[in-house]
Amino acid sequence: MDSLLKHERLNELFDCYEALLTEKQAEYFKMYYFLDYSLQEIALTFELSRNAIFDTLKKVEKILEDYESKLHLLENKKKRNEIYDKMEESFSLRLLEELKKID
């Protein structure tokens, strides 16, 4: 998978499943993927080895993919958005906005 696509997918999965990660897992993920910290910078911040941070991030990637394979939140979100787009083409925008407020 292209690195940029992988990065985008992980960010989307994180948005769906952040609450299911430990505080440290979420913090490392945010620093690496959102704030663009290097592994070494994160390791220095938490006084851990670079390898420990790398292993944790790989574990988080696997956890996020496992949650998605079981719960399908991201997949369902994408399907809902496709339906919204189709509705927008054929129905009143006002009704669509009301539906979006419910989500």
Side-chain angles (χ1 to χ4, degrees), residues 1-11 32-33:
M1 180 183 289
D2 177 61
S3 179
L4 185 58
L5 292 175
K6 179 183 176 187
H7 199 92
E8 183 180 333
R9 177 169 172 79
L10 287 171
N11 286 332
Y32 188 74
Y33 286 100

Side-chain angles (χ1 to χ4, degrees), residues 10 12 18-20 38-39 46 58 67 69 84 88 99:
L10 287 171
E12 291 174 335
E18 176 183 2
L20 301 175
S38 70
L39 295 174
F46 293 99
K58 286 297 174 191
Y67 283 143
S69 72
Y84 288 149
E88 189 173 35
L99 180 61

Side-chain angles (χ1 to χ4, degrees), residues 61-83:
E61 289 177 19
K62 184 179 180 339
I63 289 169
L64 293 173
E65 290 291 352
D66 286 347
Y67 283 143
E68 178 61 15
S69 72
K70 293 173 183 157
L71 301 173
H72 308 288
L73 295 181
L74 181 59
E75 178 185 337
N76 291 339
K77 179 182 176 182
K78 288 181 179 184
K79 287 179 183 177
R80 268 194 313 279
N81 286 338
E82 287 175 14
I83 293 169

Side-chain angles (χ1 to χ4, degrees), residues 37-54:
Y37 277 55
S38 70
L39 295 174
Q40 187 62 37
E41 289 170 322
I42 300 169
L44 289 172
T45 301
F46 293 99
E47 298 180 354
L48 295 169
S49 71
R50 180 189 173 283
N51 199 49
I53 300 300
F54 177 82

Side-chain angles (χ1 to χ4, degrees), residues 6-27:
K6 179 183 176 187
H7 199 92
E8 183 180 333
R9 177 169 172 79
L10 287 171
N11 286 332
E12 291 174 335
L13 290 173
F14 184 79
D15 286 343
C16 293
Y17 302 110
E18 176 183 2
L20 301 175
L21 298 174
T22 68
E23 186 177 316
K24 289 294 183 190
Q25 288 171 331
E27 199 166 356

